[in-house]
Amino acid sequence: MAVTVLSPSSGPHDVSTTLNYYKPREGDSDEPYRYIYLTPPPGKLEHNLGEDQQPVVVHDARGREQDFSLDTNGFQFVKHVSAEREFVDEERIKSVYYKEVEELLKNVTGAKKVFIFDTTIRFDGRKGSRGTLRGIFRPHARSLLTGIQERVHIDQTYEASVKRVHQFLGADADRLLKSRFRLINIWRPIENPVYHRPLAVSDWRFLDQTSDLVPVQYIYPDRIGANFSVRYNPAHQWWYLSQQTPEEVTLIKCYDSETDRARLTPHSAFWDSTTPEGAPHRQSIELRAFVFDDE
């Protein structure tokens, strides 16, 4: 079936939708938590995160891509053509795509050292999605095939970001952390433009750090981590890139050791009711990388 696409003359495609924010689960007094790859103890749920569905408008950045930057808004849209197209071969992703992303981050941020520690390939689980991918690969850390994340979140808390550096870089961590350190998520569509469940990012300048961010303990078999869930705030401003292509990358800041600029960006997939019938379902790859100003 043919897919109807938006023409440039139609202008920005802002979307009225709902996003899943955080609220405490009714009757649960525990601090927020989630068990990952681990069976909860008897009497414990897998997680105790409630959902607060709130109406928002996600504004289209198409035609305004240059207006956004990592240090001002916490996210940035970048044109980048990769030699890798399919993202189904572990060794090729590591040997080709990792090197491309390292150079991209150095060029965009001016950093001297980049260390990629996590890879996630997302798809919607429908029959045939990522059907040629053979299993789950683990280049440095947790890397997985997973469904699409439809909860407003930030990938790491401030404290957890620093702990991750110590986890992966060991004896070099203290030295590297003396310089500016960022944790950046590099998000790219695979194979087709994004029609279903695009990625929304929230402008840092309209976030209230003191009341909007909710630390959630992530309990793994071998460690304790944490990310931020986010409480609803009507001041939040949301953006996305309509029909984002595999040649367009979204850089999402998850941590910055500098405190006088954007330090992180809430993000989530969202539902667009105007998605054309027959449009391909979303597939995407994201890498998470430590970015250091010194070597």
Side-chain angles (χ1 to χ4, degrees):
M1 180 179 294
V3 176
T4 302
V5 299
L6 298 172
S7 65
S9 61
S10 64
H13 179 61
D14 296 348
V15 179
S16 295
T17 187
T18 59
L19 292 179
N20 295 320
Y21 282 91
Y22 168 84
K23 71 176 179 181
R25 186 184 290 270
E26 188 173 350
D28 193 316
S29 59
D30 289 344
E31 293 297 314
Y33 70 84
R34 181 186 289 274
Y35 286 90
I36 309 290
Y37 313 132
L38 191 63
T39 301
K44 279 274 192 179
L45 299 170
E46 180 184 331
H47 68 82
N48 65 344
L49 307 178
E51 281 192 359
D52 181 19
Q53 294 190 347
Q54 292 287 343
V56 302
V57 175
V58 185
H59 300 282
D60 188 1
R62 179 66 65 192
R64 296 185 52 189
E65 293 91 334
Q66 299 306 312
D67 292 350
F68 304 94
S69 71
L70 284 167
D71 281 349
T72 299
N73 312 94
F75 60 89
Q76 190 165 335
F77 304 108
V78 181
K79 287 275 191 181
H80 180 263
V81 178
S82 175
E84 177 54 38
R85 295 290 186 179
E86 295 183 335
F87 298 98
V88 296
D89 182 84
E90 171 186 350
E91 292 305 319
R92 183 165 172 81
I93 291 173
K94 290 192 290 185
S95 63
V96 175
Y97 191 53
Y98 275 28
K99 290 180 181 178
E100 291 178 344
V101 168
E102 288 170 5
E103 289 305 309
L104 172 66
L105 288 174
K106 288 178 180 179
N107 290 336
V108 171
T109 68
K112 294 181 179 178
K113 180 177 178 64
V114 173
F115 181 87
I116 296 166
F117 70 95
D118 187 277
T119 306
T120 302
I121 294 174
R122 298 190 188 274
F123 62 105
D124 70 357
R126 291 173 181 261
K127 184 177 180 181
S129 293
R130 311 311 300 155
T132 58
L133 192 62
R134 299 290 184 244
I136 299 169
F137 68 90
R138 305 174 185 275
H140 292 305
R142 177 180 64 88
S143 301
L144 67 156
L145 293 167
T146 186
I148 292 169
Q149 177 67 267
E150 292 185 274
R151 181 187 291 271
V152 179
H153 69 287
I154 298 105
D155 296 349
Q156 308 280 336
T157 63
Y158 296 136
E159 182 181 43
S161 297
V162 175
K163 285 184 175 179
R164 295 289 261 173
V165 176
H166 285 282
Q167 177 188 354
F168 288 110
L169 298 180
D172 292 329
D174 285 336
R175 174 179 56 81
L176 289 166
L177 288 169
K178 290 178 181 177
S179 71
R180 184 184 182 189
F181 155 54
R182 283 158 282 184
L183 196 162
I184 296 174
N185 181 324
I186 304 92
W187 190 92
R188 177 193 295 272
I190 297 174
E191 196 171 325
N192 302 294
V194 176
Y195 296 95
H196 289 271
R197 293 178 171 83
L199 177 70
V201 285
S202 185
D203 193 324
W204 156 265
R205 296 172 298 173
F206 302 92
L207 181 74
D208 186 338
Q209 288 188 80
T210 60
S211 60
D212 295 350
L213 301 179
V214 182
V216 179
Q217 189 175 68
Y218 271 40
I219 305 167
Y220 295 90
D222 58 344
R223 68 181 182 90
I224 304 294
N227 82 354
F228 281 125
S229 278
V230 182
R231 292 188 182 91
Y232 174 66
N233 181 336
H236 292 166
Q237 289 198 8
W238 289 93
W239 295 87
Y240 83 116
L241 194 60
S242 61
Q243 297 180 19
Q244 184 170 348
T245 73
E247 288 72 45
E248 295 173 316
V249 172
T250 303
L251 302 179
I252 309 165
K253 190 185 287 187
C254 300
Y255 175 82
D256 195 329
S257 60
E258 298 290 330
T259 60
D260 62 347
R261 61 206 72 190
R263 299 196 71 194
L264 48 73
T265 296
H267 51 282
S268 174
F270 68 96
W271 178 254
D272 181 357
S273 62
T274 67
T275 298
E277 184 179 356
H281 286 269
R282 189 190 113 181
Q283 302 176 75
S284 60
I285 181 168
E286 58 199 74
L287 307 184
R288 293 177 183 84
F290 303 139
V291 179
F292 300 98
D293 275 10
D294 292 341
E295 294 183 291

